Amino acid sequence: EMSEMSERSKQNVAHGLAWSYYVGYLKIVLPRIKKSMEEFSRANPNLPACRKTWKLHILIPLSCDVCDDLEKADSNIQYVTDLTETTLPRGGIKKRVYKHSLYAIRDEENQLWHCAVEYATPLQTLYAMSQDECAAFSREERLEQAKLFCRTLEEILKGSKECADAYRLIAYEEPEEAEIHFLSREIMWHLRQEHHEEIAVLEGSPPHSPSMALDSAELNLQISVSDLPQPLNSGYF
């Protein structure tokens, strides 16, 4: 009976997607991301290195609208190269390939910041379900599921020792009016926070904790995960 109630309310969709994303992907790739970034930094000593940005930046648009080409989503985001790939046998596939793309993000002063960034691909499932009559998934339900996915994923990662300090969740709600450089500015906010954290560590002062002020009336998410992840306040969701 409880299972049927959960199915009808679709409460298990985002929860299952978050766990699948973690077990089937993040738990595999995140422990290797710093090594890949370090290899890239050694091969490109002319580029400034901020070790705090040596993590996977995961984009979580609450609209679940995932763009397959980040360069088309924002012209201030430029593809640089693919990081060293990981090849493992997985589910009967002899050489399953896992890799990440490195991008250069151009800021307001025309400077380039390099980072590994990609969308949380399970959001595509939520979006597709809202477009499929068989799923009977409304736009409002999709939004709630996106929030639940984000909260669940953060809680999972917060308890994962293997993934500690190897990721940053960037959850956001897109503006009603299109802004051509909204995405790059959103990413830059997090890169600057990481840069400030590194400076604080080098100077021996406590790392700055990014502001997580969320307004229940106007969702303005900047969900960040740093060395000491802070749980999301469910009251805002």
Side-chain angles (χ1 to χ4, degrees):
E1 184 178 350
M2 290 296 295
S3 178
E4 289 179 0
M5 291 174 61
S6 180
E7 278 292 334
R8 285 196 296 270
S9 62
K10 302 181 178 67
Q11 291 176 349
N12 59 340
V13 176
H15 186 267
L17 286 175
W19 271 104
S20 177
Y21 185 45
Y22 168 69
V23 174
Y25 180 64
L26 295 181
K27 191 175 181 180
I28 298 170
V29 302
L30 289 182
R32 298 170 170 82
I33 190 72
K34 285 188 180 295
K35 182 180 178 181
S36 296
M37 291 295 295
E38 187 174 3
E39 290 173 354
F40 173 80
S41 184
R42 283 202 305 265
N44 299 271
N46 57 315
L47 297 178
C50 175
R51 289 180 177 271
K52 275 290 182 178
T53 65
W54 288 4
K55 55 187 67 175
L56 184 61
H57 298 76
I58 303 172
L59 301 176
I60 305 179
L62 295 182
S63 67
C64 298
D65 191 3
V66 172
C67 182
D68 291 325
D69 192 334
L70 280 171
E71 291 179 299
K72 291 182 179 179
D74 190 321
S75 59
N76 278 348
I77 303 175
Q78 304 169 11
Y79 169 78
V80 177
T81 187
D82 287 334
L83 297 177
T84 305
E85 64 185 34
T86 298
T87 304
L88 297 170
R90 189 75 175 173
I93 302 173
K94 283 290 186 180
K95 297 181 179 180
R96 177 71 181 271
V97 176
Y98 299 88
K99 65 179 181 180
H100 311 286
S101 294
L102 188 76
Y103 289 90
I105 315 299
R106 189 178 303 277
D107 66 13
E108 299 86 350
E109 298 175 356
N110 214 33
Q111 294 181 333
L112 296 178
W113 299 59
H114 294 83
C115 69
V117 58
E118 61 190 51
Y119 283 99
T121 52
L123 295 177
Q124 292 177 308
T125 299
L126 290 176
Y127 189 85
M129 289 178 68
S130 68
Q131 304 297 309
D132 194 314
E133 292 182 1
C134 295
F137 217 53
S138 70
R139 183 177 180 180
E140 291 74 19
E141 287 173 323
R142 184 184 71 197
L143 176 60
E144 291 305 312
Q145 289 297 312
K147 296 173 187 176
L148 178 57
F149 171 83
C150 184
R151 288 202 305 270
T152 305
L153 182 61
E154 187 184 30
E155 287 299 316
I156 295 170
L157 288 171
K158 186 176 65 174
S160 174
K161 294 181 180 179
E162 303 100 317
C163 301
D165 199 32
Y167 65 95
R168 194 172 185 103
L169 302 184
I170 303 179
Y172 58 91
E173 184 176 49
E174 296 164 326
E176 292 183 3
E177 295 184 7
E179 298 180 23
I180 57 174
H181 297 310
F182 168 78
L183 186 56
S184 59
R185 286 200 301 269
E186 195 74 17
I187 297 172
M188 278 305 311
W189 187 91
H190 289 270
L191 293 179
R192 288 193 174 104
Q193 290 298 325
E194 291 167 334
H195 183 67
H196 292 157
E197 289 167 13
E198 180 168 271
I199 292 175
V201 171
L202 293 175
E203 293 178 347
S205 56
H208 171 69
S209 297
S211 170
M212 292 186 61
L214 307 181
D215 190 294
S216 58
E218 181 181 357
L219 219 58
N220 181 23
L221 289 182
Q222 288 182 323
I223 300 168
S224 307
V225 178
S226 57
D227 292 331
L228 297 174
Q230 300 177 359
L232 296 181
N233 188 335
S234 60
Y236 290 114
F237 292 95

